[in-house]
Amino acid sequence: MLKTGVLISGRGSNLQSLIAACATPGFPAEIACVISNKADAGGLDHARKANIPAHVIPNRDYPTREAFESALDAKLEEHNVQLVCLAGFMRILTPWFVNRWRDRLINIHPSLLPAFPGLDTHQKAIDYGAKLAGCTVHFVRAEMDHGPIIMQAAVPVLNGDDEQTLAARVLQAEHKAYPQALRLIAENRVNVFEERTFITDATASGEALFNPEA
Amino acid sequence: MLKTGVLISGRGSNLQSLIAACATPGFPAEIACVISNKADAGGLDHARKANIPAHVIPNRDYPTREAFESALDAKLEEHNVQLVCLAGFMRILTPWFVNRWRDRLINIHPSLLPAFPGLDTHQKAIDYGAKLAGCTVHFVRAEMDHGPIIMQAAVPVLNGDDEQTLAARVLQAEHKAYPQALRLIAENRVNVFEERTFITDATASGEALFNPEA
């Protein structure tokens, strides 16, 4: 069982999808701990309800980013975490932390990278007039929204979409893609070579969810 | 029937898909003429076999781009063309031509724009490590690979893909997306507003073709 740590800052809807996946029989990963930098993050309750150790490490309590990240790192090591999943964690991580967890630290971004990196991705996609949106699970590098891609999933953009309706549709894709990516890693099927991933025994790591409501 | 002109420079595989679509009963567009800037373009034969007027207008015969495009324009008008489809047409068009045919001139680009514009798009997608590739049908603007998007279609990138295998898979998506986009326009269902399209009576203009071989 791959011991996974999840970092959150808010409601943690992707955390919930990971908790649900790990609860299914035969899933090859378990969530060893959840850490939030915010004491009022809703995701902490989800973790506690699932009997997962939930910790608050408030970044404001630390004088520097490095000190904060050292505390994060110590807590992850305490739980023997092997892989870290960012799930709406709203702190930019320093190269020190990112390199320490290189190829053991993943993130989900709500666009089909390289399209629409950064914040406000859904509004950017709508303003651009994209007809497909989606999400990307990737290993984290020091450069934001950058790193070897494990999985991408697409959903349509509909005529009347606003930021909220599109975000909700993409979120359904996220909730499928993130657990699938975690499973691939836990099964030792994801190899990073020259900053690209190669997935063992898989034909495709791209997926479409065209009727996610169905 | 929407009278459509198709501009080509080579084998015209997208032209073939448009010819095939227009030959299906009830399809709301017809190809009024095919024009190539190259005398040896393979697509000319496809047009002639389908009894479509096929013309060669060699750009080299004209002293300026404007003179060349005036000849193109005259030939299109001669056939009462209402919509122009670029299908592997390898000349960059001037703002004069683009604006003259504004919202009546479409192109297909073999990537999910805004990702990977320009040339060598498949190699760029592979080098980036994208897990989804695809194509985009869009109205042409003076800026290359830019303009209101009518349709996008996605296909997976597979582990062992090289430029050729990925191009072949994307091409299958192109052959479905381009006729669908032509149909939407011919049915007067595509409205351009503030540089985005809104499709009447359609829920989605994004599509996935995940087993295009099937």
Side-chain angles (χ1 to χ4, degrees):
Chain A
M1 298 285 275
L2 185 77
K3 289 181 183 295
T4 306
V6 184
L7 304 188
I8 63 170
S9 296
R11 61 182 169 147
S13 86
N14 274 308
L15 167 63
Q16 279 183 268
S17 76
L18 295 175
I19 291 173
C22 288
T24 59
F27 197 85
E30 63 181 326
I31 300 181
C33 68
V34 171
I35 306 175
S36 171
N37 65 315
K38 299 278 187 188
D40 61 353
L44 291 166
D45 289 333
H46 298 307
R48 290 182 190 121
K49 276 182 197 151
N51 294 313
I52 296 165
H55 306 282
V56 178
I57 301 182
N59 55 286
R60 291 188 172 186
D61 288 2
Y62 296 84
T64 63
R65 291 210 291 170
E66 287 74 10
F68 166 63
E69 291 179 0
S70 291
L72 278 185
D73 186 70
K75 189 59 76 181
L76 293 166
E77 296 289 0
E78 191 183 310
H79 287 280
N80 297 308
V81 163
Q82 299 164 290
L83 179 82
V84 177
C85 297
L86 304 181
F89 183 68
M90 297 303 284
R91 304 296 298 174
I92 291 173
L93 295 162
T94 68
W96 173 77
F97 188 91
V98 169
N99 289 326
R100 190 168 168 81
W101 289 89
R102 187 181 175 91
D103 297 346
R104 298 184 299 146
L105 171 61
I106 66 176
N107 183 42
I108 188 161
H109 179 78
S111 80
L112 295 173
L113 292 173
F116 315 122
L119 296 175
D120 300 322
T121 180
H122 302 300
Q123 192 60 52
K124 285 175 188 166
I126 289 169
D127 292 346
Y128 185 84
K131 299 296 188 187
L132 285 179
C135 65
T136 302
V137 184
H138 63 95
F139 288 107
V140 175
R141 296 291 184 260
E143 187 182 342
M144 196 171 75
D145 299 330
H146 200 84
I149 293 172
I150 302 152
M151 174 161 284
Q152 294 188 299
V155 296
V157 181
L158 305 187
N159 266 333
D161 270 336
D162 60 22
E163 203 173 351
Q164 284 71 37
T165 59
L166 180 56
R169 194 173 310 109
V170 171
L171 201 58
Q172 295 182 63
E174 293 176 53
H175 292 169
K176 293 198 178 185
Y178 216 179
Q180 284 181 30
L182 176 58
R183 172 187 282 277
L184 288 173
I185 293 170
E187 291 175 346
N188 278 314
R189 292 166 63 191
V190 180
N191 305 287
V192 180
F193 178 70
E194 291 183 348
E195 290 300 89
R196 293 157 55 193
T197 69
F198 294 83
I199 315 292
T200 309
D201 296 331
T203 52
S205 286
E207 179 148 346
L209 301 163
F210 276 82
N211 291 301
E213 293 84 1
Chain B
M1 298 285 277
L2 185 78
K3 289 181 183 295
T4 306
V6 184
L7 304 188
I8 63 169
S9 296
R11 62 182 169 146
S13 86
N14 275 308
L15 167 64
Q16 279 182 270
S17 76
L18 295 175
I19 290 173
C22 288
T24 59
F27 197 85
E30 64 181 325
I31 300 181
C33 68
V34 171
I35 306 175
S36 171
N37 66 315
K38 299 278 188 187
D40 60 353
L44 291 166
D45 288 332
H46 298 308
R48 290 181 190 121
K49 276 182 197 150
N51 293 314
I52 295 165
H55 306 282
V56 178
I57 300 181
N59 54 286
R60 291 189 172 184
D61 288 2
Y62 295 85
T64 63
R65 290 209 291 168
E66 287 74 8
F68 165 63
E69 291 180 359
S70 290
L72 278 186
D73 185 69
K75 188 60 75 183
L76 292 166
E77 295 290 0
E78 190 183 311
H79 286 281
N80 298 308
V81 163
Q82 299 164 290
L83 179 81
V84 177
C85 297
L86 303 182
F89 183 68
M90 297 304 283
R91 303 296 298 174
I92 291 173
L93 294 162
T94 68
W96 174 77
F97 188 92
V98 169
N99 288 326
R100 190 169 168 79
W101 289 88
R102 186 181 176 90
D103 296 345
R104 299 184 298 145
L105 171 62
I106 66 176
N107 183 41
I108 188 161
H109 179 78
S111 81
L112 295 173
L113 292 173
F116 315 121
L119 296 175
D120 300 322
T121 180
H122 302 299
Q123 192 60 53
K124 285 176 189 165
I126 289 170
D127 291 346
Y128 184 83
K131 299 296 187 188
L132 285 179
C135 65
T136 302
V137 183
H138 64 95
F139 287 108
V140 175
R141 295 292 184 258
E143 186 183 341
M144 195 170 77
D145 299 330
H146 202 83
I149 293 172
I150 302 152
M151 175 161 282
Q152 295 189 298
V155 296
V157 181
L158 306 188
N159 266 333
D161 269 335
D162 59 23
E163 204 173 350
Q164 284 71 38
T165 58
L166 181 57
R169 193 174 311 109
V170 171
L171 200 58
Q172 294 182 63
E174 293 176 54
H175 292 169
K176 293 199 179 184
Y178 216 179
Q180 284 181 31
L182 176 58
R183 173 188 282 278
L184 288 173
I185 293 170
E187 292 174 348
N188 279 313
R189 293 166 61 192
V190 181
N191 305 287
V192 179
F193 179 70
E194 292 184 346
E195 291 300 89
R196 292 157 56 192
T197 69
F198 293 83
I199 315 293
T200 309
D201 296 332
T203 51
S205 285
E207 179 148 348
L209 300 162
F210 277 82
N211 292 299
E213 293 84 1

